[in-house]
Amino acid sequence: LERGTMRHGQRMINSLHPAEIASLIESLPPAKREIVWEFVDPELEGDVLVELNEEVRAELIGGMDADELIAATEGMEVDDLADLIGDLPETLNERVLRSMDAQDRERLSAVLGFEQDSAGGLMNLDAVTIRPDVTLEVVIRYLRMRAELPDRTDRLFVVNRYDQYLGGLDLTRLLTEDPERTVGEVMDSTVEGIAPEAPAREVAKLFEDRDLVSAAVVSSDGKLLGRITIDDVVDVIREEADHSVLSMAGLDEDEDMFAGVVRSARRRAVWLGVNLATAFLAANVVGLFEATIEKVVALAVLMPIVASMGGIAGSQTLVLIIRGIALGQVEDANARWLLIREILVGMFNGLFVAGLVGLAAGLWFHEWKIGAIICGALMINLLAAAITGVSVPLVLKRFGVDPALAGGVILTTFTDCIGFASLLGLGTLFLT
Amino acid sequence: LERGTMRHGQRMINSLHPAEIASLIESLPPAKREIVWEFVDPELEGDVLVELNEEVRAELIGGMDADELIAATEGMEVDDLADLIGDLPETLNERVLRSMDAQDRERLSAVLGFEQDSAGGLMNLDAVTIRPDVTLEVVIRYLRMRAELPDRTDRLFVVNRYDQYLGGLDLTRLLTEDPERTVGEVMDSTVEGIAPEAPAREVAKLFEDRDLVSAAVVSSDGKLLGRITIDDVVDVIREEADHSVLSMAGLDEDEDMFAGVVRSARRRAVWLGVNLATAFLAANVVGLFEATIEKVVALAVLMPIVASMGGIAGSQTLVLIIRGIALGQVEDANARWLLIREILVGMFNGLFVAGLVGLAAGLWFHEWKIGAIICGALMINLLAAAITGVSVPLVLKRFGVDPALAGGVILTTFTDCIGFASLLGLGTLFLT
């Protein structure tokens, strides 16, 4: 019976697509991952490995011997293999290269020559090319002779005799236009090729804006190098999105939910350490006003309100600006406009929130002066939050630091320190 | 000269794709938006409107008269028109419907019958259908007669005489297989149709996992309703990603960076108000210990550290779990495993961070007892952060609340209150 269930499980797993198997493995604790992995068909293993996040991938690769790994890499697409090969043990790289035929080896090294997150790293080398001077009928006969076309071929690429890219011919046009016409007459030459150095993010934007399914990668001397297909672009978009959410919490997008406790703890400790430094800075500001707090304890009670309101308002501005930068919609040209707008929004909400809190605090402590002081401190802090929220990401970007990663820490450091300083400073001036 | 530049600008704008024009408009302040919008070709206007975020769209629609709007909707794809029509003034809806031919009107109302973020709302009605019993040669002749195929047609859909979906025929196979064979022999019947009620998020997952370019939407009685294409799926993925980043800061994904100050301020004030309530809760906890703070002011100085460390550690857990839920990787089955893991990670980092802070605080205030107290408070708070970080999103999900929206506020309320209570509580016990 037990063996029967096992065989049933195996069938079920291998009826899934590689990406689905990868997702299943990622959602299991390590011990169960091994069991599922044992079940996966050897010919699917390579494609599943590519879909896994880096941590889990390394874990599974560590448990495989050389022959298994080489078998797994057989039959993989070149762009996927290029992603995977960096994670294999070095001694194995050579064996994998040797097991390939000369053409594939050449192709692989062409892709490996580009950054993984560039157009060159994303491209596949399976573009089907045709010449502009033949008729559509000849093209159709040629395709029938090939007997197979690569996955997600929606267009053929037109090149001259020097392999220079001239344009694309959609299969839909190939099928609907008069077969007597030549490729050159029917092809679409308005679609420009993508430079291999173009960052993956820009490639994704292009595919999104122009609703592309595949596009040509073209070298600076006009040669067709390969093609990028939408499935890889979708992965880029998903990873980018993951990255921006996770990096705000100081996490890596390859973070494995089920990784070993010590490893996770150590990695997160780095982020806690960074934040600890900023928290001590804020504590230090409070420390300057010990004498005031001793006299007016109410101020200590109100500290969390000033800090948290500043942090929240600042994050709203920060997130908007970071997204604007990512979409290419925030630039120096409109930054000043945005700054003024956010300051105005901050002032409006300052009036509203500060008034409310001031009133509540005045009633709470039966002392209108305390109300007035927290009101003033909140106004100052919400203004500071607006200014930091706009300027921190722009400054970080100029220095080449990812605003999503560092922006939040820097922002809350500012809003905490300014909030405490204004609350306790005003308290020192008017209450002692 | 001025007029010459204007014409040049107009040409430049209209050489862009609708999505690029939309992005340009979004990145401009309102006054300049009007100018660019004036330049856009009337036949592009509808497609640009669809690509704009809702706020900006409403703003531009408000400035157009009825005839302009009706002209803009002409020639639009049915799924795009379905998105747009809800934003038109009601009096206009009827006029738009009347200006369409009977078939398009019927199609539009079919799409409008489904939720916008379901498979039915995403689908287009331009699927090209063929019968299983004809040969490929006949199909090719039929396509040539049609003379045009809809954009992003990568496969034809095979239906029986009752319009029931049987499978798909990829154009690549149509071009490479023996033309004497029948559609039924060559078609791929393993790809199941998508139910029109399927949520957009699930559709996106399916396209991602199976690398699809288009897929059939099929009703419960097996009828082919339409097809979904990858370009709309990419938009879903992008919006989802935007949503999860922005909603953590209490922002709407349609937030317009250049919206009027008062409108933005009012909307953000709602979120500030929610957070204000939780901040008062935290302040209230501090208020319980006024007597202790008066005696040991050092505790007030250390308050920001306990609160911020708890918040940071909790956010890390929270973000991981929210992402796991979104990917479908966190479920009740593995929730307990994750909880234990996060508690262990919290304990490890508790030991590390609390030890460090305890030492620093002991030295700072020349009093080892204060060091011991903040050490204990941090340990308690990091444990609480791990538990809340795992359980809050799971509980919210069960109640149908979006964890990305409410999770952060609830988490920091917990970590603030528990942090202050443990610091000041331990202080009261051992220092007074």
Side-chain angles (χ1 to χ4, degrees):
Chain A
L1 186 80
E2 176 72 347
R3 194 171 293 174
T5 349
M6 298 275 273
R7 222 173 302 148
H8 181 68
Q10 185 161 18
R11 251 205 315 275
M12 252 182 52
I13 288 166
N14 289 303
S15 72
L16 296 174
H17 282 243
E20 292 164 344
I21 301 176
S23 181
L24 173 68
I25 290 177
E26 283 180 2
S27 62
L28 292 171
K32 291 191 185 155
R33 282 177 182 164
E34 297 286 334
I35 301 174
V36 171
W37 185 237
E38 286 299 313
F39 281 172
V40 176
D41 272 348
E43 63 220 60
L44 288 179
E45 283 180 351
D47 290 325
V48 174
L49 283 176
V50 167
E51 299 282 350
L52 286 168
N53 81 42
E54 279 180 29
E55 275 195 53
V56 184
R57 189 195 295 170
E59 190 184 303
L60 293 182
I61 287 178
M64 291 167 80
D65 65 30
D67 290 325
E68 283 176 308
L69 279 170
I70 295 203
T73 60
E74 271 163 27
M76 286 179 67
E77 289 186 17
V78 173
D79 61 337
D80 290 341
L81 188 53
D83 283 356
L84 188 58
I85 207 158
D87 295 333
L88 296 180
E90 282 221 14
T91 50
L92 222 67
N93 278 352
E94 256 180 61
R95 275 191 61 191
V96 170
L97 285 171
R98 255 184 287 135
S99 76
M100 300 169 79
D101 64 35
Q103 195 196 13
D104 277 348
R105 189 159 49 230
E106 208 173 288
R107 289 177 161 188
L108 180 64
S109 56
V111 175
L112 284 174
F114 297 106
E115 293 286 328
Q116 206 176 315
D117 57 352
S118 70
L122 286 175
M123 76 182 172
N124 232 312
L125 300 161
D126 56 4
V128 178
T129 56
I130 49 175
R131 289 289 167 79
D133 47 2
V134 297
T135 63
L136 300 188
E137 197 173 358
V138 172
V139 174
I140 290 178
R141 247 186 289 137
Y142 161 68
L143 294 183
R144 196 148 287 142
M145 254 174 43
R146 276 188 62 120
E148 219 182 343
L149 282 172
D151 288 340
R152 286 167 299 290
T153 294
D154 69 317
R155 59 171 40 177
L156 310 173
F157 296 96
V158 187
V159 295
N160 64 16
R161 70 168 84 177
Y162 307 110
D163 253 355
Q164 281 172 317
Y165 171 76
L166 301 176
L169 175 66
D170 286 340
L171 297 189
T172 53
R173 298 206 71 187
L174 179 62
L175 282 161
T176 51
E177 293 284 338
D178 178 0
E180 303 290 309
R181 298 184 70 184
T182 65
V183 169
E185 286 167 15
V186 175
M187 74 179 186
D188 179 3
S189 51
T190 62
V191 190
E192 279 168 58
I194 299 171
E197 302 82 19
R201 167 180 288 199
E202 273 175 29
V203 174
K205 186 104 180 60
L206 194 76
F207 269 72
E208 274 183 82
D209 284 348
R210 314 218 156 181
D211 295 339
L212 301 173
V213 172
S214 71
V217 179
V218 175
S219 70
S220 56
D221 56 353
K223 280 220 175 83
L224 178 72
L225 299 176
R227 64 173 191 136
I228 297 176
T229 49
I230 182 76
D231 54 319
D232 295 318
V233 172
V234 167
D235 291 343
V236 168
I237 295 174
R238 178 64 81 186
E239 273 165 34
E240 227 185 80
D242 254 18
H243 171 77
S244 55
V245 173
L246 292 177
S247 66
M248 281 188 197
L251 297 167
D252 193 90
E253 72 258 41
D254 279 310
E255 180 85 17
D256 169 15
M257 272 193 303
F258 296 91
V261 170
V262 179
R263 194 171 6 146
S264 284
R266 205 183 304 149
R267 218 163 357 176
R268 291 198 212 162
V270 175
W271 193 241
L272 286 173
V274 171
N275 278 278
L276 195 55
T278 79
F280 262 102
L281 218 81
N284 217 39
V285 171
V286 179
L288 297 176
F289 299 95
E290 276 190 60
T292 308
I293 294 174
E294 209 165 1
K295 279 181 215 136
V296 194
V297 185
L299 292 175
V301 176
L302 295 172
M303 274 167 45
I305 297 176
V306 182
S308 112
M309 284 296 105
I312 297 285
S315 305
Q316 293 191 317
T317 304
L318 182 77
V319 167
L320 264 192
I321 300 293
I322 289 177
R323 187 183 65 145
I325 292 176
L327 293 177
Q329 292 184 340
V330 172
E331 267 150 29
D332 291 343
N334 54 17
R336 222 168 55 118
W337 203 100
L338 282 170
L339 182 62
I340 293 170
R341 176 177 177 273
E342 289 298 322
I343 288 177
L344 288 175
V345 172
M347 274 172 58
F348 256 82
N349 278 335
L351 285 173
F352 165 70
V353 173
L356 209 68
V357 174
L359 199 71
L363 290 172
W364 186 357
F365 295 102
H366 308 292
E367 165 74 67
W368 70 267
K369 264 190 182 172
I370 289 185
I373 282 168
I374 192 166
C375 180
L378 265 172
M379 290 269 284
I380 294 171
N381 207 20
L382 288 185
L383 270 186
I387 296 171
T388 359
V390 175
S391 45
V392 164
L394 286 169
V395 171
L396 287 175
K397 192 194 151 207
R398 182 156 302 170
F399 285 104
V401 181
D402 180 3
L405 180 64
V409 191
I410 298 180
L411 177 96
T412 49
T413 307
F414 271 99
T415 51
D416 279 1
C417 291
I418 293 172
F420 294 143
S422 48
L423 176 71
L424 301 173
L426 289 174
T428 310
L429 279 179
F430 296 109
L431 289 176
T432 59
Chain B
L1 186 82
E2 177 70 348
R3 193 171 290 175
T5 349
M6 296 276 273
R7 222 173 302 150
H8 181 68
Q10 186 161 15
R11 252 205 314 276
M12 253 181 52
I13 288 166
N14 289 302
S15 71
L16 297 173
H17 282 243
E20 292 165 343
I21 301 177
S23 180
L24 173 68
I25 290 177
E26 283 179 3
S27 61
L28 293 171
K32 290 190 186 156
R33 281 177 184 165
E34 297 286 333
I35 301 174
V36 171
W37 186 236
E38 285 300 311
F39 281 172
V40 175
D41 271 348
E43 63 219 61
L44 288 178
E45 283 181 350
D47 291 325
V48 174
L49 283 176
V50 167
E51 299 282 350
L52 286 168
N53 81 41
E54 278 178 31
E55 273 194 53
V56 184
R57 191 195 295 170
E59 188 183 305
L60 293 181
I61 287 178
M64 291 166 81
D65 64 33
D67 291 325
E68 283 177 308
L69 279 169
I70 295 205
T73 60
E74 271 163 28
M76 286 180 67
E77 290 186 17
V78 173
D79 60 338
D80 290 341
L81 188 53
D83 283 355
L84 188 58
I85 207 158
D87 295 334
L88 296 181
E90 282 220 16
T91 51
L92 223 66
N93 278 353
E94 256 181 61
R95 274 191 60 191
V96 170
L97 285 170
R98 255 184 287 134
S99 77
M100 301 169 78
D101 65 36
Q103 196 195 13
D104 278 348
R105 189 158 49 228
E106 209 173 288
R107 289 176 161 187
L108 180 63
S109 57
V111 175
L112 285 174
F114 297 107
E115 293 286 326
Q116 205 177 316
D117 56 351
S118 70
L122 286 175
M123 76 182 172
N124 231 313
L125 299 161
D126 56 4
V128 179
T129 56
I130 48 175
R131 290 288 168 78
D133 47 0
V134 297
T135 62
L136 300 189
E137 197 175 358
V138 172
V139 173
I140 291 177
R141 248 187 288 136
Y142 162 68
L143 294 183
R144 196 149 288 143
M145 253 172 47
R146 276 187 61 120
E148 219 183 342
L149 283 172
D151 288 341
R152 287 166 298 289
T153 295
D154 68 319
R155 58 171 40 178
L156 310 174
F157 296 96
V158 187
V159 294
N160 64 17
R161 72 168 84 177
Y162 308 110
D163 252 356
Q164 282 173 316
Y165 171 76
L166 302 175
L169 175 67
D170 287 340
L171 296 188
T172 54
R173 298 206 71 189
L174 179 62
L175 282 161
T176 52
E177 293 285 337
D178 178 0
E180 304 290 311
R181 298 184 70 185
T182 66
V183 169
E185 286 167 17
V186 175
M187 73 177 187
D188 179 3
S189 52
T190 62
V191 190
E192 278 169 59
I194 300 170
E197 301 82 21
R201 168 180 286 198
E202 273 174 30
V203 174
K205 186 105 181 60
L206 193 76
F207 269 72
E208 274 183 82
D209 285 348
R210 312 217 157 181
D211 295 341
L212 301 174
V213 172
S214 71
V217 179
V218 175
S219 69
S220 55
D221 57 353
K223 280 220 175 84
L224 178 71
L225 298 177
R227 65 175 189 134
I228 297 176
T229 50
I230 181 77
D231 54 319
D232 294 319
V233 172
V234 167
D235 291 343
V236 169
I237 295 173
R238 177 64 80 188
E239 273 166 32
E240 227 184 81
D242 254 18
H243 172 77
S244 55
V245 173
L246 293 177
S247 66
M248 281 187 196
L251 297 167
D252 192 89
E253 72 258 41
D254 280 310
E255 180 85 17
D256 168 15
M257 272 194 304
F258 297 91
V261 169
V262 180
R263 190 166 14 142
S264 284
R266 206 183 304 151
R267 216 160 2 174
R268 291 198 212 161
V270 175
W271 193 241
L272 287 172
V274 171
N275 278 280
L276 194 55
T278 80
F280 262 102
L281 218 82
N284 217 38
V285 171
V286 179
L288 297 175
F289 298 96
E290 275 191 59
T292 308
I293 295 173
E294 209 164 0
K295 279 181 216 135
V296 195
V297 184
L299 292 175
V301 176
L302 296 172
M303 275 167 43
I305 296 177
V306 183
S308 113
M309 284 296 105
I312 296 287
S315 305
Q316 292 191 317
T317 304
L318 183 77
V319 166
L320 264 192
I321 301 292
I322 289 178
R323 186 182 66 145
I325 292 176
L327 292 177
Q329 292 183 342
V330 172
E331 266 150 31
D332 292 343
N334 54 17
R336 222 168 55 117
W337 202 100
L338 282 170
L339 182 62
I340 293 170
R341 175 176 179 274
E342 289 296 322
I343 289 177
L344 288 174
V345 172
M347 275 173 58
F348 257 81
N349 278 335
L351 285 173
F352 165 72
V353 173
L356 208 68
V357 173
L359 200 72
L363 290 173
W364 186 359
F365 295 101
H366 308 293
E367 166 73 67
W368 70 266
K369 263 189 181 173
I370 287 185
I373 282 168
I374 191 165
C375 180
L378 265 173
M379 292 268 285
I380 294 172
N381 207 20
L382 287 185
L383 269 187
I387 296 170
T388 358
V390 175
S391 45
V392 163
L394 286 169
V395 170
L396 286 176
K397 190 193 152 209
R398 183 156 302 170
F399 286 103
V401 181
D402 179 4
L405 180 65
V409 191
I410 299 180
L411 177 98
T412 49
T413 307
F414 270 100
T415 51
D416 279 1
C417 291
I418 293 171
F420 294 142
S422 48
L423 177 72
L424 300 174
L426 289 174
T428 310
L429 279 178
F430 296 108
L431 289 177
T432 57

